[in-house]
Amino acid sequence: MADRVVLAYSGGLDTSVGIGRLRDATGKDVVALVVDVGQGGDDLGAIRQRALDCGAVEAIVVDAKDEFADDHVAPALKANALHQKRYPLVSALSRPLIAKHLALTAKQLGADSVAHGCTGKGNDQVRFEAAVAAIAPDLTSLAPVRDLALTRDLAIAYANEHGLPVEERSPADRHVSVDQNVWGRAVETGPLEDPWSAPTEDLYAYTQDPTVPRDPDEVTITFEQGVPVALDGQRFSVLRIVQELNALAGKHGVGRIDVMEDRVVGIKSREVYEAPAAVALIAAHEELESLTLERDVNRYKRHVEAEWADLVYDGLWFGGLKRSLDAFIDHTQLHVSGDVRLQLHGGRAVVTGRRSSQSLYDFELATSDTGDAFDQSQAKGFTDIWALPSRIAARRDRAN
């Protein structure tokens, strides 16, 4: 039905008002699509009903939590993905998955357009539309908040005028923008727009105050080919492991991130994130790689990781370079299997032990005790040859 548009619906003010505004602007019926990536909050049944009450002709709910964990979180973990060395791509990872379901739903319904609730200042408009273009290039992407200049005061007025059942936000969230999923939570705007303004404790929901005295917790994470498969010897799905670590690491305030970001659209923004499981898992995964990857592979992979994170942040999840880097990263993970022990305490996830049947650590070579297998007599010649280019260059520089 080309007379329909499929809207990525969150249940919030912008997308609730967006249903009517899209219908008014295009003359098309609106189908609301709710994709559950572990965002929690309101009951999904209630969100679906709210979409219908706001004028959607149909409201579809997709449970994509396991798909998100397996197909988006796990690859990000293999890549130790941290944009600007700090941000674990909380929102950036979910957008291509939501966009995929948008495009698939539009195709199933015969619709010729999809829509999202992003503004013109953010990254998410780019992520949604680039993903849709890569999956279904014949679909048109609409953005009522951006394209119809739907400011918050106008959205509230529209909701009041039409009697829309938009829920009042909590006092802590009223002046900030919040996006969350199973991999973490992102908070921006409001008082955080002043880079000098410290985040207040009521902004946090996934983590407890790390300065409060409490006994540390210890957990052992088991990986198989770069993917977490067990906690303390008990096997779980990736989703369950992330959920368990969110609770355990979050109790100790692990994963609070306050960062100035360089957005795709060219402006800087101040963002506060909570990602307890992400920070803990990346710390563990990096340590296991240090034990199992060759020196040159490990060093080169750090460059690939930064590029991978930048591509995903920039909305190019389905791009050719990102998919090529996926192949490289997957190959590096063939031997990244084993256990890492973490201590969680005072806002930190600290590795205290690591072991693997694929380890490249050789005790007989590494030990400083008498009888070690390392032939130190060969080191002098190696060192002399290694230093030769530096010595030659130094002679030239001295002559000049």
Side-chain angles (χ1 to χ4, degrees):
M1 299 179 183
D3 56 347
R4 287 189 171 190
V5 54
V6 182
L7 169 67
Y9 184 71
S10 68
L13 175 67
D14 289 341
T15 51
S16 293
V17 169
I19 292 173
R21 293 297 296 265
L22 275 171
R23 184 185 59 236
D24 297 343
T26 66
K28 297 182 178 183
D29 290 333
V30 178
V31 175
L33 175 68
V34 182
V35 180
D36 182 6
V37 288
Q39 59 264 45
D42 295 338
D43 175 78
L44 292 177
I47 292 177
R48 179 182 180 279
Q49 186 58 50
R50 189 180 309 149
L52 296 172
D53 293 342
C54 288
V57 296
E58 188 175 355
I60 300 169
V61 176
V62 176
D63 183 350
K65 293 191 294 295
D66 277 299
E67 183 182 5
F68 179 54
D70 294 339
D71 298 344
H72 292 251
V73 167
L77 179 56
K78 291 179 183 180
N80 299 315
L82 294 171
H83 180 255
Q84 294 181 198
K85 299 189 291 186
R86 297 182 65 196
Y87 167 45
L89 301 173
V90 170
S91 300
L93 286 175
S94 71
R95 299 319 188 221
L97 178 59
I98 296 171
K100 184 183 83 170
H101 284 284
L102 265 181
L104 291 175
T105 302
K107 287 296 187 182
Q108 290 168 357
L109 296 177
D112 63 359
S113 55
V114 295
H116 57 78
C118 305
T119 72
K121 284 188 176 182
N123 297 312
D124 284 338
Q125 58 179 333
V126 178
R127 295 164 181 160
F128 276 123
E129 295 182 26
V132 169
I135 301 167
D138 52 327
L139 288 177
T140 299
S141 292
L142 306 174
V145 175
R146 178 192 67 195
D147 300 339
L148 302 177
L150 190 61
T151 59
R152 185 164 184 81
D153 55 338
L154 290 176
I156 293 172
Y158 186 96
N160 291 336
E161 178 184 351
H162 292 83
L164 301 182
V166 177
E167 278 198 344
E168 181 69 15
R169 300 173 72 187
S170 69
D173 289 345
R174 194 166 295 153
H175 301 295
V176 296
S177 174
V178 178
D179 179 65
Q180 60 192 39
N181 57 50
V182 73
W183 197 228
R185 183 171 179 268
V187 186
E188 63 180 16
T189 71
L192 297 178
E193 290 181 344
D194 177 3
W196 188 250
S197 176
T200 54
E201 194 61 32
D202 61 359
L203 288 178
Y204 296 105
Y206 281 17
T207 57
Q208 297 182 34
D209 186 349
T211 65
V212 173
R214 55 175 66 87
D215 293 333
D217 278 310
E218 202 169 72
V219 61
T220 298
I221 305 168
T222 301
F223 292 86
E224 291 179 359
Q225 297 192 340
V227 178
V229 296
L231 295 177
D232 291 330
Q234 187 170 358
R235 295 185 71 89
F236 295 115
S237 66
V238 175
L239 174 63
R240 177 70 181 277
I241 287 173
V242 172
Q243 291 170 330
E244 293 288 331
L245 283 174
N246 272 335
L248 187 60
K251 183 179 77 171
H252 293 278
V254 173
R256 292 188 175 188
I257 303 162
D258 185 348
V259 63
M260 294 300 302
E261 264 181 41
D262 291 310
R263 287 185 178 176
V264 181
V265 295
I267 63 176
K268 287 187 180 289
S269 66
R270 197 274 190 89
E271 311 284 337
V272 171
Y273 297 104
E274 297 178 276
V279 168
L281 282 166
I282 289 173
H285 180 259
E286 283 186 326
E287 193 65 22
L288 188 58
E289 285 188 324
S290 295
L291 190 66
T292 57
L293 294 186
E294 300 96 321
R295 177 174 180 262
D296 57 346
V297 174
N298 208 15
R299 290 172 63 178
Y300 190 79
K301 184 172 181 285
R302 296 294 172 253
H303 302 290
V304 174
E305 291 169 358
E307 183 67 28
W308 194 95
D310 285 346
L311 290 170
V312 174
Y313 184 88
D314 293 347
L316 298 175
W317 178 271
F318 296 106
L321 177 56
K322 185 264 181 186
R323 288 182 294 172
S324 295
L325 296 183
D326 282 337
F328 168 81
I329 291 170
D330 283 342
H331 187 270
T332 68
Q333 300 302 290
L334 293 177
H335 303 294
V336 185
S337 300
D339 302 318
V340 178
R341 188 176 62 240
L342 284 178
Q343 184 186 78
L344 307 170
H345 187 241
R348 301 177 65 212
V350 179
V351 174
T352 62
R354 70 289 282 160
R355 63 189 177 192
S356 171
S357 62
Q358 305 298 307
S359 172
L360 297 178
Y361 175 79
D362 186 327
F363 175 82
E364 297 300 328
L365 289 172
T367 182
S368 298
D369 291 343
T370 301
D372 66 299
F374 189 87
D375 186 354
Q376 297 192 51
S377 66
Q378 298 182 19
K380 184 181 187 309
F382 166 78
T383 303
D384 286 343
I385 293 173
W386 185 261
L388 190 57
S390 298
R391 179 174 289 108
I392 295 170
R395 289 170 181 166
R396 178 203 59 193
D397 295 343
R398 182 185 298 173
N400 290 335

